[in-house]
Amino acid sequence: MAAKLTVVRGKLAGQTFAVNYDETVVVGRDEGCNIQILDNGVSRRHFKIEGRGRSFLLMDLQSSNGTYVNDVQVSSMILRQDDRINVGEAEFVFKADVESGRPMPAMGVNITDDLQEPQIRRRFEESEVGKAPEGPNAKYSEVELQGLLATIYKVGNIINSEIDSERIFDTIMDAVLSVIPADRGFLILYDSGTDIIEPIVVRGCGDDGIDLNLSRTILTEAVKKGMSIISMDAMKDTRFKAGASIIMNRIKSAICVPLESKKEILGAIYLDSLSAIGAFSEFHLELLSAIGKQAGIAIERAKLQAQIETLFYGAIRTLVATIEAKDNYTKGHTERVTTYAMQIASEMDLADAELEVLELASLLHDVGKIGIPEKILKKPGKLTPGEYEIMKRHPNIGAEIIANIENIEKVKDIVANHHEKWDGSGYMRGLKGEEIPLGARILAVADAYDAMTSTRSYRRNFSEEEVIKEFKRCAGFQFDREVVRAFFKAYRNGKITPPDLLDLSDALSAEKKLAIAEEEEGGDDTGGAQGAPKPAA
């Protein structure tokens, strides 16, 4: 085991998980995650840790509530010994090399002082890159210039097609190494606030147990001054001594350019050659500088996209909390229903795009209640027929509210139809069977489960046994049988539990719970009693 994550707080407290250098560990609420945390504050895929050389990189996966390391929200960072990672109610402690007792290096690549003197230094302005000088002193021939522009265009398309911050760094390095002949490549991020320079992507470095040294001189010139640099012949550096790194002594030439957005320098791209002196030319310097500018803008765009999504989901949760604050009995209902719906959907193998739509629809499914009079929402007893007709308007009100958001048609359809029933007796449109969107059918089961297991002013919550019997009774009439089967499967595996499992009025043992779920999942018994039953709560 190269490293371990120990849970010190939350539902998995006391458990330890291995993290190896050659693997990626994903943490989240989804069943497919390596570490699954059934916590409403944890996103479906919350963060990942992957080995990068001899380091471990943590990356937030555009989670709704953010990933915090040592109480600071991060999008990505190299982990160090004893770092504390917080997501939702869970807290992890990261430790590396726990079996060998070897200390973890601060990074898999060492930034070493003054090993190389830059031999070509240029500060490229955006307007200069790829521009052909006029007259007899033109740098490139027409053919070379055409090749340069074509390459910049090709690489730009590759980089700018990737908006997922989880993959953007690898995409950039793949694009660079596809057009520039280097033995090794490094994508390095720079934090101007902490003055930390850290490699995020390392390519072409064998696991030979030898530290790799990069020149602080070159990196500092790139990230602090925006210089693009070539060191033509590293072996000519007179400061190499007998004790210098073996790897460093093998480097023949190096090239480094800044990663720049329009606002700031985000890091650098650093390439080197172990096989050829003068491996890089000014042509390569200009090409890599252009890529660095495109890549910096792409990274900035991906970060902005992640921030916008975080703000969007944050605004939705704030709106939902405002609505739920009107009624103490429904506090936390939306987050619980979202969790249940995602677990059911995972059992049904929905694609990632469908899961994203369902998650957003689940969060928004009761937003229409903002248009329902508070005296009805907070009524301490059952609703009158007239009041019930008013309450039944909330799916349509919700659909009208979210219709103002672009590209959200599928979400709107789920919200509008989550009170439809399999036999056509639901509202508002009386849809039947597969006319009802699958997401709405899943949401209906999740919504009913939370309603049954939550206490109301006019009734107690259902026991687990009662919940199972109710779903069995209503499958094929109120609910889609396949969705109910997926619910039973998730329930049997412990992925769905009521909000206060130990406080249920008729709580059953774990063994009895498992036996009931297995019984209900088998055969055709999920159809329940004959004839149309009364609807589940």
Side-chain angles (χ1 to χ4, degrees):
M1 175 167 46
K4 69 176 182 180
L5 284 175
T6 300
V7 187
V8 297
R9 192 179 70 204
K11 293 185 177 181
L12 302 180
Q15 295 190 42
T16 296
F17 301 91
V19 186
N20 294 311
Y21 285 121
D22 58 350
E23 68 180 8
T24 297
V25 173
V26 178
V27 178
R29 211 172 57 223
D30 191 77
E31 177 187 4
C33 294
N34 304 93
I35 301 176
Q36 185 183 31
I37 303 177
L38 299 179
D39 178 338
N40 291 333
V42 176
S43 294
R44 188 165 53 83
R45 284 167 52 86
H46 202 105
F47 73 89
K48 72 174 183 177
I49 296 175
E50 61 183 43
R52 295 288 180 94
R54 292 173 56 222
S55 300
F56 290 93
L57 174 67
L58 177 145
M59 294 185 69
D60 181 80
L61 302 179
Q62 299 184 26
S63 63
S64 299
N65 295 325
T67 301
Y68 293 80
V69 178
N70 302 327
D71 301 321
V72 177
Q73 186 171 359
V74 301
S75 57
S76 64
M77 70 172 291
I78 298 291
L79 291 172
R80 294 181 173 82
Q81 199 77 293
D82 296 320
D83 275 345
R84 292 178 295 105
I85 305 167
N86 292 89
V87 293
E89 296 298 321
E91 180 173 324
F92 299 83
V93 172
F94 176 83
K95 288 185 179 292
D97 297 319
V98 294
E99 289 186 344
S100 65
R102 292 182 290 113
M104 182 186 178
M107 56 192 70
V109 178
N110 297 321
I111 309 299
T112 307
D113 287 330
D114 299 325
L115 287 179
Q116 288 178 268
E117 284 287 359
Q119 292 162 320
I120 297 178
R121 300 166 69 253
R122 286 196 59 189
R123 177 73 174 94
F124 288 97
E125 299 301 331
E126 191 169 359
S127 59
E128 287 185 85
V129 180
K131 182 178 179 181
E134 298 177 359
N137 296 319
K139 288 187 295 182
Y140 310 129
S141 67
E142 184 176 343
V143 172
E144 288 175 318
L145 183 60
Q146 287 176 350
L148 172 63
L149 293 176
T151 302
I152 292 172
Y153 179 76
K154 170 189 171 185
V155 172
N157 283 341
I158 294 171
I159 293 172
N160 288 300
S161 67
E162 183 59 77
I163 61 171
D164 188 343
S165 60
E166 180 182 351
R167 297 189 295 265
I168 187 70
F169 300 117
D170 287 313
T171 300
I172 291 168
M173 187 51 64
D174 289 341
V176 167
L177 294 177
S178 71
V179 296
I180 297 182
D183 293 322
R184 295 184 298 195
F186 308 87
L187 191 147
I188 294 159
L189 293 186
Y190 171 62
D191 186 334
S192 59
T194 61
D195 205 33
I196 292 176
I197 299 172
E198 290 186 312
I200 297 297
V201 179
V202 178
R203 293 290 171 80
C205 298
D207 187 16
D208 50 16
I210 301 173
D211 286 343
L212 175 65
N213 295 316
L214 300 184
S215 166
R216 187 179 301 277
T217 300
I218 289 179
L219 286 174
T220 300
E221 289 274 291
V223 300
K224 292 188 177 182
K225 298 180 181 180
M227 303 301 295
S228 294
I229 299 157
I230 296 178
S231 181
M232 296 289 204
D233 186 359
M235 296 302 292
K236 287 185 177 180
D237 194 318
T238 59
R239 284 167 296 181
F240 281 122
K241 306 296 181 184
S245 164
I246 295 172
I247 289 287
M248 195 61 205
N249 276 301
R250 286 163 48 198
I251 294 175
K252 301 297 191 297
S253 50
I255 184 171
C256 183
V257 304
L259 273 172
E260 294 185 82
S261 69
K262 292 186 179 294
K263 296 179 180 178
E264 61 182 335
I265 296 176
L266 305 172
I269 301 172
Y270 186 111
L271 308 177
D272 63 31
S273 172
L274 307 180
S275 56
I277 294 173
F280 307 114
S281 66
E282 286 195 67
F283 177 88
H284 294 124
L285 190 67
E286 185 159 340
L287 174 57
L288 191 59
S289 294
I291 294 172
K293 291 180 185 297
Q294 290 179 317
I297 293 170
I299 292 171
E300 190 72 29
R301 190 184 71 244
K303 288 169 61 178
L304 181 60
Q305 177 73 17
Q307 290 170 359
I308 290 171
E309 289 190 14
T310 298
L311 288 171
F312 177 64
Y313 279 94
I316 287 172
R317 284 181 162 86
T318 299
L319 176 61
V320 168
T322 301
I323 297 169
E324 292 184 351
K326 294 182 177 183
D327 183 0
N328 289 333
Y329 287 104
T330 61
K331 186 176 181 180
H333 165 76
T334 297
E335 291 286 358
R336 291 194 301 271
V337 169
T338 301
T339 299
Y340 304 149
M342 298 307 289
Q343 292 301 329
I344 295 169
S346 293
E347 295 294 346
M348 300 182 75
D349 295 324
L350 266 67
D352 284 348
E354 294 175 293
L355 291 173
E356 290 175 8
V357 168
L358 177 60
E359 182 172 24
L360 184 54
S362 299
L363 288 170
L364 289 167
H365 79 280
D366 274 346
V367 73
K369 287 184 178 179
I370 200 169
I372 303 300
E374 194 166 334
K375 65 180 182 179
I376 294 178
L377 290 175
K378 299 182 75 169
K379 185 175 180 179
K382 287 190 175 181
L383 302 178
T384 66
E387 291 169 335
Y388 183 55
E389 287 302 314
I390 294 174
M391 179 64 82
K392 284 165 59 176
R393 298 174 188 168
H394 81 268
N396 274 358
I397 295 172
E400 289 171 5
I401 291 171
I402 65 176
N404 295 308
I405 305 173
E406 292 184 7
N407 302 319
I408 206 167
E409 189 67 28
K410 291 181 179 179
V411 174
K412 186 186 78 171
D413 286 344
I414 293 174
V415 171
N417 297 303
H418 75 277
H419 278 294
E420 299 290 357
K421 296 177 183 177
W422 185 257
D423 64 0
S425 64
Y427 61 89
M428 296 289 293
R429 298 164 61 195
L431 299 182
K432 184 177 182 179
E434 293 188 359
E435 293 175 348
I436 306 167
L438 176 58
R441 287 178 259 152
I442 292 172
L443 187 53
V445 171
D447 199 18
Y449 178 67
D450 190 65
M452 286 187 279
T453 55
S454 299
T455 301
R456 294 289 183 264
S457 59
Y458 52 88
R459 64 153 174 82
R460 65 168 177 83
N461 53 314
F462 284 33
S463 71
E464 292 185 84
E465 187 172 28
E466 288 170 328
V467 169
I468 296 295
K469 288 182 177 179
E470 189 73 359
F471 274 123
K472 175 180 177 180
R473 189 174 68 86
C474 294
F477 297 98
Q478 182 173 348
F479 306 117
D480 181 345
R481 288 177 186 268
E482 293 304 315
V483 176
V484 173
R485 287 194 178 98
F487 165 82
F488 282 141
K489 187 175 180 181
Y491 183 83
R492 179 191 65 189
N493 293 333
K495 295 171 185 173
I496 291 180
T497 56
D500 297 302
L501 178 61
L502 298 180
D503 293 334
L504 285 175
S505 58
D506 236 347
L508 304 175
S509 68
E511 291 80 7
K512 185 69 177 293
K513 169 184 170 182
L514 179 61
I516 291 173
E518 287 178 333
E519 174 190 347
E520 300 310 322
E521 194 181 11
D524 291 325
D525 291 340
T526 42
Q530 297 300 312
K534 294 179 181 179

